[in-house]
Amino acid sequence: MLAFGMPSSLTRGEVAQIAALANLELDAAELDLFARQLGDILAYADQVQRIDTTGVPPTAAVVTRHAADRADEVRPSLERDDVLASAPDPALDAGFFKVPRVIG
Amino acid sequence: MTIRETREAVRSGARPAAEICREALARIDASNGVLNAFNTLAADRAQSRAEAIDRDPQRWRRAPLAGVPIAIKDNICTRGLRTTASSRMLAEYVPLYDATVVARLEAAGAVIVGKTNCDEFAMGSSNETSAFGPVRNPWDPTRSPGGTSGGSAAAVAARLTPAALGSDTGGSIRQPSSLCGVVGLKPTYGRVSRYGLIAHGSSLDQIGPIATTAYDAAVLLGVIAGVDPCDATSAPEPVPDYTTALTGDLNGIRIGVPRALLEQGVDREVGAAIDTALQSLRTRGAMLVDIELPHAQYATPVYYLVSTAEASSNLSRYDGVRYGFRANLEPRTQNPGPRTPNAEPRTPIAESRLQQMYARTRAQGFGCEVKRRIMLGTYVLSAGYYDAYYLKAQQVRTLILRDYDRAFERVDVVAMPTSPVPAFRLGEKIDDPLQMYLIDVFTVSANLAGLPAISVPCGFTAATLPIGLQLTGRRFDEATLLCVADAYERDNAWSTQLPPTPSR
């Protein structure tokens, strides 16, 4: 969207918005710190805007030849009870992970 | 002792694996108060494993790592052995499975003695972001060992174990190897399975060996490399016996030197040591060729846009539900009161207790650098900025890759320093993340281009701080890197110089 005029610093409000997207609770000191530091880093990263990339395809990964295709067959996996036992709040008998209530 | 010497002693029956293991554990125990290289010791597991090897010498007679104590970076999963990624988030996490590399090491006779300290979730360049305190550099405990595999590099440098595994997303094997004076190899992307490696940047991460000699690195790589059905990005290319490539012969090898890139700011002593090392390689028969990598100067910003985007996505899984840390929510301050059936008040999902639990778990479980990178990655992936930052960075990544492809039409190997500076003081850069990121200037492009790269000790500063030469090679041509590194070692025995023994 914006090819020019990237922000060289972020406002506290913008940082709070990003934090909400990232599921991070930040305190006031962190909001100020990240507003400054993310601004510095983005200003530095802005140098990539100078490079002409017209017609250049993006590289997301450098896998040359891969072995992703395999037979679709049932294989042993981890035991459900063992996996649940790693959880902070498991319901072993029911086979659930428990979380704080979502509604109400 | 090297891997080569240790396995020989065990195979020949000259020394029991149990004794070698006991001594390694004792060295770790004696040094950890100073170095802080290990998060977790696996004393019982290691000892019983070593005894099992001693009980069945026939079975391990030809094993490439028979009885060799190995340290594993603490972001590589070990079944039944705490694996923390040096984060509060995983401080009590005990994996239910072994990483493929761990299973392969044990099948080859290795004895895993413990898990090494690192930067939190492998994010940092100094080991200072670890939730368990920084590792200290064996050459000078007031200085950083580098990061993120600082514990692995320090353990090998202090000769606590003959070798270790690290992981490398933007230099995390090579930079600490350089700063600690050991050999560290980041393999080609896809050469080694990432199954069981706690993900940071999935298109960049590779596991690789840290050792004291190119020969030992070749042995270790041979054991861990190869296709793995559990990692769809692992490559089916056959795995050669890398040790057979170590001929000492460099005739016909062309080494590219990107002179313009080196003008980016290299410490004077580092620059001088690299020049001397290049002359040494030429004396052995290699040809030095000036090359250009015009886009390599942009590798650092591109790396921090791409890797943080991938990290923000990968780390979204830490939400306090399935495993790891969960924050306690204080009880509600307001009683919602009685409800009428037709007008039931509902808290929007975004403000639900569940949402609060996620956000607070992540606030308390992650340290500052991890939060900063999640924030940066979330920003560059967000609507409105995706094209300007993430897409643009991926396009420049293509240009960096093409630069290397073009260079490898003329040369076999590209040489440069691993780090522009020797080990810096703990605390010197930690408050300025951008200055910390700039340390990675020479290492990140190999990850962006998926190329193998090795760091080899090439001397010391006047203050006896190690300097590392980095060699980058063609895809799946680790053999040539190891050959050049080994040939260099034959004329320059830096590995015989040891750091002072740390004491409690």
mmCIF file of all heavy atoms in Angstrom, chain B residues 208-231:
data_model
loop_
_atom_site.group_PDB
_atom_site.id
_atom_site.type_symbol
_atom_site.label_atom_id
_atom_site.label_comp_id
_atom_site.label_asym_id
_atom_site.label_seq_id
_atom_site.Cartn_x
_atom_site.Cartn_y
_atom_site.Cartn_z
ATOM 1 N N GLY B 208 23.285 -27.743 13.027
ATOM 2 C CA GLY B 208 24.606 -28.106 12.516
ATOM 3 C C GLY B 208 25.600 -28.349 13.635
ATOM 4 O O GLY B 208 25.305 -28.091 14.814
ATOM 5 N N PRO B 209 26.779 -28.871 13.264
ATOM 6 C CA PRO B 209 27.801 -29.245 14.254
ATOM 7 C C PRO B 209 28.699 -28.096 14.682
ATOM 8 O O PRO B 209 28.988 -27.192 13.905
ATOM 9 C CB PRO B 209 28.624 -30.299 13.498
ATOM 10 C CG PRO B 209 28.514 -29.917 12.065
ATOM 11 C CD PRO B 209 27.162 -29.274 11.896
ATOM 12 N N ILE B 210 29.123 -28.162 15.949
ATOM 13 C CA ILE B 210 30.184 -27.300 16.471
ATOM 14 C C ILE B 210 31.244 -28.232 17.042
ATOM 15 O O ILE B 210 30.924 -29.128 17.833
ATOM 16 C CB ILE B 210 29.640 -26.347 17.555
ATOM 17 C CG1 ILE B 210 28.609 -25.387 16.936
ATOM 18 C CG2 ILE B 210 30.776 -25.567 18.226
ATOM 19 C CD1 ILE B 210 27.928 -24.465 17.937
ATOM 20 N N ALA B 211 32.499 -28.070 16.621
ATOM 21 C CA ALA B 211 33.568 -28.993 17.014
ATOM 22 C C ALA B 211 34.890 -28.243 17.040
ATOM 23 O O ALA B 211 34.913 -27.034 16.798
ATOM 24 C CB ALA B 211 33.626 -30.164 16.024
ATOM 25 N N THR B 212 35.977 -28.955 17.353
ATOM 26 C CA THR B 212 37.258 -28.259 17.395
ATOM 27 C C THR B 212 38.045 -28.398 16.101
ATOM 28 O O THR B 212 39.005 -27.659 15.884
ATOM 29 C CB THR B 212 38.136 -28.772 18.563
ATOM 30 O OG1 THR B 212 38.321 -30.176 18.406
ATOM 31 C CG2 THR B 212 37.491 -28.487 19.909
ATOM 32 N N THR B 213 37.651 -29.331 15.251
ATOM 33 C CA THR B 213 38.361 -29.503 13.979
ATOM 34 C C THR B 213 37.363 -29.717 12.849
ATOM 35 O O THR B 213 36.216 -30.125 13.085
ATOM 36 C CB THR B 213 39.281 -30.749 13.998
ATOM 37 O OG1 THR B 213 38.461 -31.921 14.134
ATOM 38 C CG2 THR B 213 40.285 -30.706 15.134
ATOM 39 N N ALA B 214 37.814 -29.444 11.624
ATOM 40 C CA ALA B 214 36.966 -29.672 10.456
ATOM 41 C C ALA B 214 36.653 -31.167 10.328
ATOM 42 O O ALA B 214 35.544 -31.546 9.923
ATOM 43 C CB ALA B 214 37.665 -29.165 9.191
ATOM 44 N N TYR B 215 37.608 -32.014 10.698
ATOM 45 C CA TYR B 215 37.381 -33.450 10.614
ATOM 46 C C TYR B 215 36.201 -33.851 11.502
ATOM 47 O O TYR B 215 35.301 -34.582 11.085
ATOM 48 C CB TYR B 215 38.646 -34.223 11.027
ATOM 49 C CG TYR B 215 38.496 -35.724 10.861
ATOM 50 C CD1 TYR B 215 38.908 -36.348 9.691
ATOM 51 C CD2 TYR B 215 37.911 -36.501 11.860
ATOM 52 C CE1 TYR B 215 38.746 -37.718 9.517
ATOM 53 C CE2 TYR B 215 37.738 -37.876 11.699
ATOM 54 C CZ TYR B 215 38.167 -38.475 10.524
ATOM 55 O OH TYR B 215 37.993 -39.827 10.343
ATOM 56 N N ASP B 216 36.216 -33.366 12.744
ATOM 57 C CA ASP B 216 35.128 -33.705 13.667
ATOM 58 C C ASP B 216 33.784 -33.164 13.168
ATOM 59 O O ASP B 216 32.752 -33.831 13.300
ATOM 60 C CB ASP B 216 35.424 -33.154 15.063
ATOM 61 C CG ASP B 216 36.430 -34.024 15.824
ATOM 62 O OD1 ASP B 216 36.921 -35.012 15.245
ATOM 63 O OD2 ASP B 216 36.705 -33.711 17.000
ATOM 64 N N ALA B 217 33.810 -31.968 12.604
ATOM 65 C CA ALA B 217 32.563 -31.411 12.056
ATOM 66 C C ALA B 217 32.061 -32.282 10.911
ATOM 67 O O ALA B 217 30.847 -32.501 10.763
ATOM 68 C CB ALA B 217 32.789 -29.977 11.584
ATOM 69 N N ALA B 218 33.003 -32.818 10.112
ATOM 70 C CA ALA B 218 32.635 -33.686 8.991
ATOM 71 C C ALA B 218 31.990 -34.983 9.499
ATOM 72 O O ALA B 218 30.997 -35.458 8.948
ATOM 73 C CB ALA B 218 33.875 -34.000 8.144
ATOM 74 N N VAL B 219 32.546 -35.532 10.567
ATOM 75 C CA VAL B 219 31.983 -36.765 11.142
ATOM 76 C C VAL B 219 30.565 -36.504 11.639
ATOM 77 O O VAL B 219 29.621 -37.249 11.350
ATOM 78 C CB VAL B 219 32.869 -37.281 12.303
ATOM 79 C CG1 VAL B 219 32.174 -38.432 13.032
ATOM 80 C CG2 VAL B 219 34.229 -37.721 11.787
ATOM 81 N N LEU B 220 30.415 -35.424 12.379
ATOM 82 C CA LEU B 220 29.124 -35.110 12.991
ATOM 83 C C LEU B 220 28.071 -34.813 11.914
ATOM 84 O O LEU B 220 26.927 -35.273 12.004
ATOM 85 C CB LEU B 220 29.310 -33.896 13.913
ATOM 86 C CG LEU B 220 28.443 -33.774 15.147
ATOM 87 C CD1 LEU B 220 28.317 -35.078 15.892
ATOM 88 C CD2 LEU B 220 29.030 -32.699 16.067
ATOM 89 N N LEU B 221 28.466 -34.047 10.893
ATOM 90 C CA LEU B 221 27.511 -33.740 9.823
ATOM 91 C C LEU B 221 27.063 -35.030 9.132
ATOM 92 O O LEU B 221 25.873 -35.207 8.841
ATOM 93 C CB LEU B 221 28.134 -32.785 8.797
ATOM 94 C CG LEU B 221 27.203 -32.427 7.630
ATOM 95 C CD1 LEU B 221 25.977 -31.658 8.124
ATOM 96 C CD2 LEU B 221 27.935 -31.625 6.553
ATOM 97 N N GLY B 222 28.012 -35.936 8.893
ATOM 98 C CA GLY B 222 27.676 -37.201 8.242
ATOM 99 C C GLY B 222 26.631 -37.991 9.013
ATOM 100 O O GLY B 222 25.794 -38.683 8.435
ATOM 101 N N VAL B 223 26.665 -37.867 10.337
ATOM 102 C CA VAL B 223 25.713 -38.600 11.179
ATOM 103 C C VAL B 223 24.317 -37.952 11.136
ATOM 104 O O VAL B 223 23.309 -38.645 11.036
ATOM 105 C CB VAL B 223 26.218 -38.673 12.640
ATOM 106 C CG1 VAL B 223 25.122 -39.191 13.578
ATOM 107 C CG2 VAL B 223 27.453 -39.558 12.731
ATOM 108 N N ILE B 224 24.260 -36.619 11.190
ATOM 109 C CA ILE B 224 22.944 -35.973 11.330
ATOM 110 C C ILE B 224 22.286 -35.644 9.999
ATOM 111 O O ILE B 224 21.078 -35.374 9.965
ATOM 112 C CB ILE B 224 23.019 -34.682 12.195
ATOM 113 C CG1 ILE B 224 23.946 -33.646 11.562
ATOM 114 C CG2 ILE B 224 23.443 -35.016 13.625
ATOM 115 C CD1 ILE B 224 23.940 -32.303 12.302
ATOM 116 N N ALA B 225 23.032 -35.653 8.883
ATOM 117 C CA ALA B 225 22.471 -35.239 7.601
ATOM 118 C C ALA B 225 21.597 -36.328 7.001
ATOM 119 O O ALA B 225 21.702 -37.500 7.357
ATOM 120 C CB ALA B 225 23.604 -34.883 6.636
ATOM 121 N N GLY B 226 20.727 -35.911 6.080
ATOM 122 C CA GLY B 226 19.945 -36.869 5.322
ATOM 123 C C GLY B 226 18.454 -36.647 5.439
ATOM 124 O O GLY B 226 17.972 -36.000 6.364
ATOM 125 N N VAL B 227 17.743 -37.194 4.461
ATOM 126 C CA VAL B 227 16.300 -36.983 4.370
ATOM 127 C C VAL B 227 15.595 -37.619 5.568
ATOM 128 O O VAL B 227 16.083 -38.604 6.141
ATOM 129 C CB VAL B 227 15.769 -37.539 3.029
ATOM 130 C CG1 VAL B 227 15.819 -39.054 3.015
ATOM 131 C CG2 VAL B 227 14.377 -37.022 2.733
ATOM 132 N N ASP B 228 14.469 -37.002 5.943
ATOM 133 C CA ASP B 228 13.717 -37.473 7.097
ATOM 134 C C ASP B 228 12.224 -37.344 6.785
ATOM 135 O O ASP B 228 11.768 -36.242 6.476
ATOM 136 C CB ASP B 228 14.092 -36.603 8.313
ATOM 137 C CG ASP B 228 13.238 -36.892 9.539
ATOM 138 O OD1 ASP B 228 12.566 -37.947 9.575
ATOM 139 O OD2 ASP B 228 13.243 -36.059 10.458
ATOM 140 N N PRO B 229 11.486 -38.436 6.865
ATOM 141 C CA PRO B 229 10.051 -38.341 6.562
ATOM 142 C C PRO B 229 9.303 -37.362 7.470
ATOM 143 O O PRO B 229 8.233 -36.881 7.102
ATOM 144 C CB PRO B 229 9.537 -39.774 6.756
ATOM 145 C CG PRO B 229 10.644 -40.537 7.388
ATOM 146 C CD PRO B 229 11.911 -39.796 7.160
ATOM 147 N N CYS B 230 9.881 -37.049 8.625
ATOM 148 C CA CYS B 230 9.211 -36.125 9.551
ATOM 149 C C CYS B 230 9.452 -34.652 9.208
ATOM 150 O O CYS B 230 8.881 -33.775 9.837
ATOM 151 C CB CYS B 230 9.669 -36.393 10.980
ATOM 152 S SG CYS B 230 9.173 -38.002 11.583
ATOM 153 N N ASP B 231 10.331 -34.361 8.259
ATOM 154 C CA ASP B 231 10.572 -32.981 7.842
ATOM 155 C C ASP B 231 10.462 -32.906 6.326
ATOM 156 O O ASP B 231 11.363 -33.335 5.601
ATOM 157 C CB ASP B 231 11.960 -32.504 8.298
ATOM 158 C CG ASP B 231 12.292 -31.100 7.780
ATOM 159 O OD1 ASP B 231 11.425 -30.464 7.135
ATOM 160 O OD2 ASP B 231 13.428 -30.632 8.021
#
